[in-house]
């Protein structure tokens, strides 16, 4: 037996220490990667364009969306990546394709609630509402953003999107011309009828934050618009704002419409025509509308 004396050096087993270090490093790597794995975003499918634009703006594009081409026609931005699968009609989605995609969650709005029994056979369904009567529209958009972000494990992205949107609208408000006439915001349904936007809608919520006056005095539905004939706009003292897209053939028909030409002459300034902005959207559409409207007003004022 070898006895250790005071003068005897204590030699530590280096191979054992190296092995411990390797095991410690592996354990730490597993510990650090665990939260990342737990926080991975689930695969989301949605029939609703408002939820689709919100997912895209949060940096977590949906795996599948209904009617993607129409989404780009009506919503405009943010555009969906090519990797997103098209589920077909929003009201009659391709359930076989949806099942093959095997999403972790399916997000819908109340408009598609009747599909819940069939959709829930494929994946858990979550229903997000917006534009509730009597509720503050802007606060509802903030709540929806946070709710969607919670589903995809991105709460920090929600707060960033909210802050960025509100900061941008504050900046845009400071760039507006000093005097802006009341605005009458419309979207054509055909050559004689328009949606005119007022209380409880996205356009109104944005104009309120920008300090702009909405000229429409009438009632609106739960989505913030009324469907009216052009003749009902004849006595309004306002500047016309038209939000695209025009239905097929309507733009040409309006060139021959004496009623529309008269409304254009009556407008307090040349009518403004804006690219498509989803009137039923959330924060991404709100910022897009604010950008488009402010740019149009500044451009017209500079002429």
């Amino acid at each position: 037996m070898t006895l250790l004396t005071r003068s005897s050096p204590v030699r530590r087993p280096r191979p054992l220490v190296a092995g411990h270090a390797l095991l410690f490093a592996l354990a730490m790597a597993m510990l650090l990667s665990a939260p990342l794995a737990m926080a991975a975003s689930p695969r989301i499918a949605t029939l609703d364009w408002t939820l689709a634009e919100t997912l895209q703006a949060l940096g977590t594009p949906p795996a599948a969306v209904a009617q993607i081409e129409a989404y780009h026609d009506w919503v405009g931005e943010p555009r969906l990546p090519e990797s997103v699968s098209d589920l077909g009609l929003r009201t009659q989605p391709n359930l076989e394709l949806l099942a093959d995609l095997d999403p972790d969650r399916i997000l819908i709005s109340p408009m598609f609630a009747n599909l819940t029994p069939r959709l829930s056979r494929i994946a858990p369904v979550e229903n997000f509402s917006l534009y509730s009567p009597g509720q503050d529209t802007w606060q509802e958009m903030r709540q929806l953003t946070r709710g969607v972000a919670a589903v995809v494990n991105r709460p920090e992205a929600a707060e960033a999107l909210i802050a960025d949107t509100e900061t941008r609208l504050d900046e845009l408000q400071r760039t507006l011309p000093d005097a802006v006439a009341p605005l009458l915001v419309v979207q054509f349904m055909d050559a004689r009828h328009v949606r005119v936007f007022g209380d409880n809608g996205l356009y109104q919520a944005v104009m309120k934050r920008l300090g702009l006056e909405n000229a429409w005095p009438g009632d609106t539905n739960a989505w913030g618009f009324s469907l009216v004939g052009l003749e009902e706009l004849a006595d309004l003292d306002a500047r016309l704002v038209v939000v695209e897209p025009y239905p097929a053939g309507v733009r040409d028909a309006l060139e021959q419409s004496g009623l529309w030409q008269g409304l254009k002459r009556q407008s307090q300034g040349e009518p403004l025509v804006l690219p498509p902005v989803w009137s039923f959207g959330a924060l991404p559409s709100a910022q897009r509308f604010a950008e488009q409207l402010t740019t149009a007003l500044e451009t017209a004022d500079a002429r």
Side-chain angles (χ1 to χ4, degrees), residues 125-145:
V125 176
E126 294 200 37
N127 192 329
F128 289 87
S129 62
L130 191 58
Y131 303 111
S132 304
Q135 299 296 313
D136 182 279
T137 301
W138 196 266
Q139 292 306 317
E140 278 199 298
M141 288 193 284
R142 290 162 58 102
Q143 292 167 9
L144 180 138
T145 303

Side-chain angles (χ1 to χ4, degrees), residues 189-205:
M189 296 293 97
D190 57 40
R192 294 190 59 86
H193 298 88
V194 295
R195 288 173 177 163
V196 57
F197 295 91
D199 287 341
N200 205 54
L202 179 137
Y203 297 162
Q204 170 64 13

Side-chain angles (χ1 to χ4, degrees), residues 23 41 43 55-56 60 91 151 156 203 212 223 227 233:
L23 290 173
S41 296
R43 284 170 49 80
L55 287 163
Q56 181 65 26
T60 53
T91 54
V151 171
E156 74 292 342
Y203 297 162
L212 298 172
W223 295 280
L227 184 62
L233 310 180

